[in-house]
Amino acid sequence: MNTLRIATASIASRTSARVALNSRLISTRAQASVKTPSAAKTLAGLFLLSGAAVLTAGQEKECSGGPTTFTKMSDAEMVKRILEIKTENPDNIMAACFDLNYYNSLPSQLQSKFLKCLASGTYNSDSSMGCYATMPDDYETFKPFFKAALEKYHKVDLSTTSHVNNWSLEGVEGLPASGVLDLAELGLPALSMRVRTGRNLNRFPLPASMTREQRCELELAMGAVFAALKAKPEFGGGYVSITPDHPDFIDKAAYDQLVKDHIMFKDMAADPYLTTAGIAADWPYGRGCYVSEDKGFIIWVGEEDHLRIMCMQKGTLLNAVFDRLKAAVDVVEELIEGGCAKSDKVGVVTSCPTNIGTGMRASVHIALPKLTADGTDARAKAVAKPLGLSVRGLGGEHTPIGADGTVDISPSARFCISEAEIITALYLGIEKLVEAEAAAAPSAADLVAKIKKVKAENPDNIMAACFDEEYFNGLEDEVLQARLLKCCASGIWNPDSQMGCYANQPDDYDQFQPFFKQVLSKYHGVDLDATKHECSWKFDKTIEGLPESKVLDLEALGLPALSMRVRTGRNLNAFPLPASMTLQDRLDMENELYTRVFTQLAKDKRYGGGYRSITPGHPCEISGADYKALVAEHLMFKDMSADRYLVAAGIAAHWPHGRGCYVS
């Protein structure tokens, strides 16, 4: 056996001669027409001469990640190992579907090519899928194997069904009559939504079989596509590359920041599955990312597939990200010379059989505090699986869930399902998941026990400090008990809260006077048995320290003009307080204020101005950019759905519906 070592090393550690040669090659490629076969062949030959393209037994390959070490096996050794894995790891689909008789029936040159498809699962026996296509026609060339693997993973019978791509929502089962997939209708606030798909170019091998020269050629060939995207307002942005000497090269610090911002993919050379498959080879050459100006549209170049095209935004309308992705895919496919790899039998051709068909994944980040109350996603997964949904951590598979119980939810199906059916399945699945979350509410006894724990561990939590279990048990009925616990929700789910409670109804301060009296006394440092609050806007002699002139002029204190702000709050008697409002309550209240109050203020010279709404479809709706500008200018409040205290209390529910700002 020979040992292959994928080792960490900086580009600078290469010999000066090799650096110079590679620099000249990249420079030459940047100027050459990627459409000229002779130029491509010449460059390929030069790369081979430089030793940069092919990894052979005993060589060390420099890359930015790792090290990932594995022992290269001969074909016979690989077959032997696969048969061992078949027994040792029955969940390894590659090994489970490997048929020795079929393998032996292949010509020798196809045997080696076939085993290359199986390398990842052979070197990593814990793989779930364990195989990758290395050429666009592998699914047809090795049809008996891939048919079995696809059927096993996707749980379909390809003898009775086939894949059909379709982005049209028309006629999709379960689609709301309006055709609008609005999460606000499910009582949800704005969520992080993401839809992506993969594409591979017909004129190149799939990533597992590409040479370094081909990776660089593909990246440069995409330049014309990106130039066209830049010219379109809805996709305009720029390309960044991590290929040394590429015209759009960025340094490691910039790359690391893009990874941190979830815009760029991580170091592939550190992934043993991609490394052994050959997909991570030649890292970081031929890798980069196109990013729109609003960072809501991204194309990865050179990851598991040639292209990963994705759209994301925070909102409630799934149609918005879905439609934007479809428009982007249409533009990209139209401009790619030679088109993208597709099959009339299996749909979009992807490297990994798990993504074949649509290459699509549609997901949202949603908080499920009740289903994740134990700090894990185990219960959420148990509920989601029968709904056809997958649950992941916020960073992907095998990563932690959010501190507030936020998880990543997506439909499991990719194959023998259309694109339109996937996005609809996400909506319908979330609807059921929301119902399950509501039904998973912990019992009153569980919540009381949690409050007692908070009281012991977080003495500064005023809600917990003032909660009296005897008073709670003495409440008239379970309805009132539930109301009081809802008032305490923010502090229950956020033990680090200082106050930890919110009134839900205007009469809560009277209804639960013993509790709120203690809370108010403790926070405000007053004795409500000896004093009471009185509202008065008058400057009179009873105000201690008031100047005789009754003028509070800071200039008299020797101060220049200062930024001054005074604010107060009001709640309408006709509606519940924000923590208990329904979506319709919020919309009705905003409309009431807009039509009866703000229109009159606009006519008053003292307060004349206008109303800005962030409610989708409101007559005064402003764009996301305008909203951010108002926030930056401290005229508008920030995204409430990002505040875990307000979310737990229910105050942030239905964001951004029913929200806005009147500005003079």
Side-chain angles (χ1 to χ4, degrees):
M1 294 186 183
N2 297 309
T3 299
L4 289 181
R5 185 170 183 271
I6 309 299
T8 303
S10 68
I11 300 300
S13 68
R14 302 180 187 277
T15 63
S16 59
R18 186 162 171 181
V19 169
L21 176 58
N22 284 344
S23 297
R24 289 197 300 274
L25 290 173
I26 295 294
S27 177
T28 301
R29 288 200 46 72
Q31 300 172 32
S33 168
V34 296
K35 298 181 181 179
T36 306
S38 59
K41 289 180 180 178
T42 301
L43 288 166
L46 288 172
F47 268 107
L48 288 170
L49 286 172
S50 73
V54 180
L55 181 65
T56 57
Q59 286 184 321
E60 284 195 350
K61 176 175 173 57
E62 296 171 345
C63 59
S64 63
T68 297
T69 304
F70 66 98
T71 302
K72 182 172 174 58
M73 292 181 267
S74 67
D75 287 0
E77 289 168 333
M78 284 189 70
V79 171
K80 179 182 177 183
R81 181 62 188 133
I82 291 170
L83 295 176
E84 291 172 348
I85 295 171
K86 187 187 284 276
T87 301
E88 297 170 2
N89 301 77
D91 292 333
N92 184 313
I93 292 177
M94 174 279 296
C97 296
F98 180 83
D99 185 319
L100 184 59
N101 291 330
Y102 168 68
Y103 170 78
N104 288 332
S105 72
L106 294 171
S108 58
Q109 66 271 26
L110 281 185
Q111 287 181 342
S112 295
K113 186 181 176 186
F114 178 48
L115 289 176
K116 182 169 176 56
C117 295
L118 315 185
S120 183
T122 306
Y123 288 104
N124 302 281
S125 61
D126 62 342
S127 297
S128 172
M129 175 52 75
C131 57
Y132 289 95
T134 70
M135 299 293 290
D137 62 355
D138 278 350
Y139 290 100
E140 191 61 32
T141 301
F142 306 114
K143 183 176 179 179
F145 167 78
F146 277 112
K147 178 175 181 286
L150 291 173
E151 288 181 331
K152 190 172 183 67
Y153 180 83
H154 294 283
K155 297 177 176 57
V156 296
D157 181 358
L158 291 177
S159 62
T160 61
T161 189
S162 60
H163 180 84
V164 177
N165 293 93
N166 186 5
W167 291 75
S168 174
L169 290 172
E170 186 177 351
V172 175
E173 185 177 353
L175 184 74
S178 64
V180 178
L181 303 172
D182 190 353
L183 299 177
E185 294 295 327
L186 307 181
L188 293 171
L191 302 179
S192 173
M193 307 179 294
R194 177 178 293 225
V195 187
R196 60 88 165 158
T197 188
R199 290 296 185 270
N200 289 286
L201 280 62
N202 274 322
R203 49 192 283 227
F204 293 98
L206 295 183
S209 286
M210 295 180 81
T211 63
R212 178 184 294 185
E213 190 274 338
Q214 288 170 330
R215 297 184 199 279
C216 294
E217 182 180 352
L218 182 147
E219 183 181 30
L220 289 173
M222 287 300 297
V225 177
F226 297 145
L229 288 172
K230 288 179 186 178
K232 295 180 178 293
E234 65 271 36
F235 301 117
Y239 183 70
V240 294
S241 174
I242 53 175
T243 299
D245 297 311
H246 187 282
D248 299 309
F249 177 75
I250 57 172
D251 61 20
K252 186 177 185 301
Y255 164 71
D256 288 343
Q257 186 60 50
L258 288 175
V259 172
K260 183 179 179 181
D261 294 340
H262 305 289
I263 291 174
M264 187 66 165
F265 47 97
K266 296 179 181 179
D267 180 353
M268 296 168 67
D271 186 315
Y273 305 95
L274 297 180
T275 297
T276 51
I279 293 173
D282 310 308
W283 178 268
Y285 287 86
R287 273 77 176 202
C289 177
Y290 181 89
V291 188
S292 65
E293 289 183 3
D294 66 358
K295 295 182 172 59
F297 168 64
I298 295 171
I299 299 180
W300 288 350
V301 176
E303 204 240 13
E304 188 177 279
D305 291 307
H306 293 158
L307 307 175
R308 281 282 173 89
I309 309 168
M310 59 195 81
C311 292
M312 67 283 294
Q313 73 176 65
K314 189 161 188 177
T316 62
L317 197 60
L318 291 174
N319 303 68
V321 285
F322 182 74
D323 292 345
R324 190 180 190 189
L325 179 66
K326 175 61 167 69
V329 169
D330 288 345
V331 171
V332 171
E333 289 188 333
E334 182 181 352
L335 293 171
I336 287 177
E337 180 187 350
C340 294
K342 294 181 182 179
S343 162
D344 58 359
K345 297 176 181 176
V346 296
V348 172
V349 173
T350 57
S351 291
C352 185
T354 63
N355 290 319
I356 200 166
T358 59
M360 183 173 158
R361 183 174 186 272
S363 66
V364 299
H365 285 178
I366 181 172
L368 301 173
K370 297 167 187 173
L371 290 174
T372 58
D374 62 353
T376 75
D377 59 10
R379 191 177 177 193
K381 283 183 174 178
V383 172
K385 189 173 182 180
L387 301 176
L389 299 176
S390 295
V391 178
R392 299 183 180 184
L394 298 186
E397 198 72 42
H398 310 304
T399 62
I401 64 174
D404 61 351
T406 297
V407 294
D408 179 284
I409 299 291
S410 67
S412 304
R414 311 265 196 281
F415 183 51
C416 292
I417 183 174
S418 72
E419 289 83 355
E421 288 170 330
I422 288 177
I423 197 69
T424 304
L426 177 60
Y427 179 84
L428 297 175
I430 291 173
E431 182 177 26
K432 297 295 184 184
L433 202 57
V434 167
E435 293 173 1
E437 168 73 4
S443 67
D446 291 337
L447 291 175
V448 170
K450 191 168 179 63
I451 292 173
K452 291 165 71 174
K453 183 179 180 183
V454 173
K455 180 180 289 194
E457 298 177 355
N458 300 75
D460 292 334
N461 185 310
I462 293 176
M463 174 280 297
C466 296
F467 186 87
D468 185 319
E469 187 175 0
E470 185 176 345
Y471 164 70
F472 173 81
N473 290 332
L475 289 173
E476 186 176 326
D477 54 35
E478 293 181 357
V479 174
L480 284 179
Q481 289 181 337
R483 269 185 64 181
L484 177 57
L485 289 173
K486 189 172 187 334
C487 292
C488 302
S490 185
I492 293 173
W493 300 111
N494 299 284
D496 61 342
S497 297
Q498 182 187 6
M499 174 57 75
C501 57
Y502 288 92
N504 279 237
Q505 298 286 343
D507 65 348
D508 277 350
Y509 291 99
D510 287 328
Q511 182 66 62
F512 306 114
Q513 185 186 33
F515 169 73
F516 276 112
K517 179 183 175 184
Q518 287 191 64
V519 168
L520 294 173
S521 297
K522 189 173 183 68
Y523 180 83
H524 294 284
V526 296
D527 180 359
L528 290 178
D529 289 327
T531 188
K532 67 176 183 177
H533 179 81
E534 292 184 3
C535 293
S536 176
W537 291 77
K538 291 182 178 180
F539 285 121
D540 57 35
K541 295 180 180 179
T542 63
I543 299 177
E544 186 177 350
L546 182 71
E548 287 188 17
S549 64
K550 299 182 182 179
V551 177
L552 304 175
D553 189 354
L554 299 180
E555 188 176 8
L557 305 179
L559 294 172
L562 301 179
S563 174
M564 302 181 292
R565 177 179 292 221
V566 185
R567 58 94 167 159
T568 188
R570 291 293 186 272
N571 288 286
L572 282 62
N573 277 324
F575 296 95
L577 296 184
S580 286
M581 294 180 82
T582 64
L583 172 61
Q584 195 59 51
D585 285 335
R586 299 185 197 281
L587 298 176
D588 289 346
M589 186 194 73
E590 182 183 32
N591 186 58
E592 176 85 0
L593 290 170
Y594 171 62
T595 56
R596 299 187 60 181
V597 179
F598 298 144
T599 53
Q600 296 304 311
L601 282 175
K603 298 174 183 177
D604 190 318
K605 292 182 179 180
R606 296 170 298 171
Y607 309 111
Y611 182 65
R612 281 84 163 166
S613 174
I614 53 175
T615 298
H618 190 280
C620 300
E621 182 185 5
I622 59 174
S623 67
D626 287 341
Y627 165 70
K628 290 179 181 178
L630 288 175
V631 171
E633 293 167 9
H634 305 289
L635 295 175
M636 187 68 158
F637 47 97
K638 295 179 180 178
D639 180 352
M640 297 169 67
S641 66
D643 186 314
R644 58 190 171 96
Y645 305 97
L646 298 181
V647 169
I651 293 174
H654 313 113
W655 177 269
H657 294 264
R659 273 76 174 199
C661 177
Y662 181 90
V663 186
S664 64

